[in-house]
């Protein structure tokens, strides 16, 4: 993997760059649609590529390990071939999913023992086998195995958790260096900065991961209940330590406003289930603000979903039609809303990139934050 930092904004820490992987190039800032089990829920790959203009999608190690399993993925030639997606893929290590199974898992120095949410069977994730699983999946970006503590964790717990994550990270990199890709191309292992909302722990974590000289770095454990200003503070703290010449990935974030604020603080990559999950429930993100399409006010609004945007469906479907489909419980409603929201997110990061290059990102960002914070 290679990263070229192409432009830096003069008034903020926003950056524009280009990542080159074995499966194509990625222009940053970038948003990655979440394809947890090898698909972005309800969205054809054709539409992801042509309408949403996704450049990379995310898969999840925990879910893919349980179903369909690494044997099937290896027989298929990896997730790219199995799912017919020929662009880059990033896989989460499964750490967040495992640790969210609070009553069905046990953490130890060895790793994390857990029970499947599918059939209750017992499994063990270790730093080593999580690397092995992601080798079998064939992701371009493989996330290191970490513990993701609760956002409200007390300092003592957060500190011990970080120490465990650091020991696991060393084991991840040892396994990574002992193995190689299974499908004829290289893969990148990405360490994750943890430390909850404690600046000194975040600095400690960022300094520790730097020593591995990774091709990219991730910021985890945010957007888990802490106030947005605290999240932004942690991003600034971490990016003040991480090297400038590597991409920075903020995991699981967030709203359109969160993305803009994080971009202004030097983040390059994002993922979040919000565009599709909220879309399926009738929430639409537009260039003018947020729409609850179930509201009665849209029943006879025959204007496009986002007249001022350039996203999928903006010039095809009206608010009244989408409301009708949503109220009627039609599957097409969830598909349209998901496509629209994903296209909006990709449109927004592309706009951010263009304004960074043009040199007027700060003014544009402040204008957009005001609009995107409104509920229409």
């Amino acid at each position: 993997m290679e990263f070229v930092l192409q432009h830096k904004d003069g008034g903020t820490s926003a950056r524009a760059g280009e990542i080159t992987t074995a499966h194509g190039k990625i222009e940053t800032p970038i948003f990655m649609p979440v394809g947890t089990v090898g698909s972005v829920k309800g969205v054809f790959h054709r539409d992801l590529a042509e309408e949403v203009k996704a450049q990379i999608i995310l898969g999840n190690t925990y879910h893919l390990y349980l179903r369909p399993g690494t044997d099937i993925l290896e027989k298929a030639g990896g997730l790219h071939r199995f799912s017919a997606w020929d662009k880059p893929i990033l896989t989460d290590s499964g750490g967040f999913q495992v640790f969210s199974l609070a009553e069905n898992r046990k953490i130890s120095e060895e790793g994390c023992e857990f029970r499947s949410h599918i059939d209750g069977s017992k499994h063990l994730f270790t730093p080593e086998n999580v690397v092995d699983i992601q080798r079998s999946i064939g992701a371009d970006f493989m996330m290191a195995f970490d513990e993701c503590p609760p956002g409200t964790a007390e300092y003592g717990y957060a500190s011990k958790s970080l120490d465990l994550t650091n020991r696991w990270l060393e084991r991840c990199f040892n396994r990574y260096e002992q193995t190689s890709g299974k499908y004829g191309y290289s893969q990148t292992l990405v360490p994750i900065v943890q430390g909850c909302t404690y600046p000194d722990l975040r600095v400690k974590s960022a300094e520790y991961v730097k020593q591995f000289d990774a091709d990219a770095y991730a910021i985890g454990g945010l957007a888990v209940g802490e106030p947005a200003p605290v999240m932004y503070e942690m991003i600034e703290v971490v990016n003040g330590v991480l090297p400038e010449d590597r991409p920075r990935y903020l995991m699981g974030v967030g709203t359109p406003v969160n993305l803009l604020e994080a971009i202004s603080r030097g983040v390059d990559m994002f993922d979040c289930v919000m565009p599709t999950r909220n879309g399926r429930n009738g929430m639409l993100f537009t260039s003018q603000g947020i729409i609850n399409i179930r509201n009665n006010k849209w029943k006879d609004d025959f204007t496009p979903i986002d007249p001022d945007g350039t996203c999928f469906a903006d010039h095809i479907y009206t608010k009244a039609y989408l409301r009708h489909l949503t109220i009627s419980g039609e599957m097409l409603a969830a598909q349209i809303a998901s496509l629209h929201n994903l296209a909006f997110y990709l449109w927004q990061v592309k706009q951010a990139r263009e304004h960074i290059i043009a040199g007027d990102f700060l003014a544009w960002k402040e204008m957009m934050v005001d609009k995107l914070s409104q509920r229409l």
Side-chain angles (χ1 to χ4, degrees):
M1 193 215 80
E2 296 180 358
F3 175 65
V4 176
L5 183 57
Q6 297 170 320
H7 296 274
K8 295 173 64 177
D9 180 61
T12 70
S13 296
R15 307 122 57 84
E18 184 178 76
I19 302 170
T20 301
T21 74
H23 288 95
K25 295 182 183 295
I26 305 163
E27 293 184 333
T28 64
I30 193 64
F31 178 81
M32 299 178 283
V34 176
T36 304
V37 298
S39 72
V40 177
K41 195 179 291 292
V43 181
F44 284 110
H45 288 171
R46 173 200 64 209
D47 293 334
L48 277 175
E50 297 176 7
E51 304 290 352
V52 173
K53 296 181 172 55
Q55 300 176 45
I56 175 174
I57 61 174
L58 180 145
N60 184 264
T61 295
Y62 167 83
H63 290 281
L64 291 167
Y65 160 77
L66 291 177
R67 190 167 54 193
T70 54
D71 287 347
I72 296 296
L73 291 170
E74 288 188 9
K75 287 179 181 178
L79 182 59
H80 288 91
R81 290 185 178 177
F82 183 64
S83 65
W85 176 258
D86 61 1
K87 295 187 179 185
I89 295 175
L90 179 147
T91 42
D92 189 350
S93 70
F96 180 81
Q97 282 70 29
V98 168
F99 296 116
S100 67
L101 303 171
E103 298 180 359
N104 294 304
R105 50 85 169 158
K106 181 179 179 181
I107 303 171
S108 67
E109 188 69 34
E110 184 181 8
C112 185
E113 185 180 90
F114 64 94
R115 290 191 178 275
S116 164
H117 72 287
I118 298 170
D119 60 11
S121 56
K122 187 179 290 186
H123 304 268
L124 176 68
F125 271 1
T126 68
E128 291 81 10
N129 71 14
V130 162
V131 170
D132 293 344
I133 293 165
Q134 291 182 91
R135 288 291 198 193
S136 295
I137 293 171
D140 299 271
F141 297 88
M142 309 187 299
M143 304 308 297
F145 192 53
D146 64 332
E147 180 183 2
C148 184
T152 56
E154 295 183 354
Y155 185 89
Y157 181 90
S159 181
K160 290 181 180 178
S161 172
L162 177 58
D163 289 341
L164 179 62
T165 287
N166 287 347
R167 293 193 296 273
W168 282 355
L169 179 61
E170 184 173 356
R171 289 166 58 188
C172 280
F173 267 95
N174 286 340
R175 188 62 157 216
Y176 174 67
E177 291 167 358
Q178 294 165 2
T179 58
S180 57
K182 297 185 175 185
Y183 309 113
Y185 55 86
S186 62
Q187 298 171 274
T188 293
L189 180 63
V190 183
I192 303 170
V193 176
Q194 289 287 356
C196 291
T197 57
Y198 303 104
D200 62 320
L201 295 184
R202 287 285 174 178
V203 170
K204 177 182 176 181
S205 181
E207 292 285 3
Y208 184 79
V209 302
K210 277 174 57 178
Q211 70 177 302
F212 293 93
D213 193 29
D215 291 329
Y217 296 91
I219 305 171
L222 294 176
V224 288
E226 78 282 357
V230 174
M231 175 174 68
Y232 301 147
E233 178 190 356
M234 293 305 102
I235 294 170
E236 291 179 5
V237 167
V238 171
N239 283 345
V241 177
L242 293 179
E244 279 199 343
D245 62 346
R246 312 293 163 88
R248 303 155 176 172
Y249 163 35
L250 180 59
M251 305 179 71
V253 178
T255 68
V257 170
N258 290 158
L259 265 63
L260 290 180
E261 294 292 357
I263 288 170
S264 74
R265 290 164 171 81
V267 173
D268 307 296
M269 303 171 69
F270 302 87
D271 82 282
C272 191
V273 298
M274 185 172 285
T276 48
R277 178 178 293 170
N278 288 30
R280 293 194 300 272
N281 291 304
M283 177 182 284
L284 302 176
F285 300 100
T286 78
S287 61
Q288 300 304 306
I290 299 170
I291 290 175
N292 180 350
I293 201 63
R294 293 180 175 273
N295 287 349
N296 196 55
K297 66 186 292 185
W298 309 117
K299 71 177 183 179
D300 57 356
D301 188 326
F302 304 111
T303 62
I305 295 170
D306 191 355
D308 297 323
T310 57
C311 307
F312 170 80
D314 293 345
H315 309 295
I316 305 172
Y317 302 111
T318 66
K319 299 182 186 75
Y321 179 62
L322 182 52
R323 180 183 182 277
H324 159 68
L325 295 178
T326 303
I327 297 298
S328 300
E330 286 292 322
M331 292 174 60
L332 183 57
Q335 290 179 285
I336 292 173
S338 296
L339 275 170
H340 167 82
N341 282 348
L342 288 172
F344 175 77
Y345 269 61
L346 269 296
W347 173 82
Q348 178 177 274
V349 293
K350 182 180 179 182
Q351 289 290 301
R353 174 183 170 84
E354 291 176 357
H355 284 282
I356 292 167
I357 294 171
D360 61 351
F361 171 78
L362 181 58
W364 173 81
K365 172 229 153 188
E366 291 179 346
M367 178 269 292
M368 287 299 295
V369 165
D370 288 341
K371 287 184 175 183
L372 298 173
S373 300
Q374 300 180 80
R375 288 189 173 266
L376 302 178

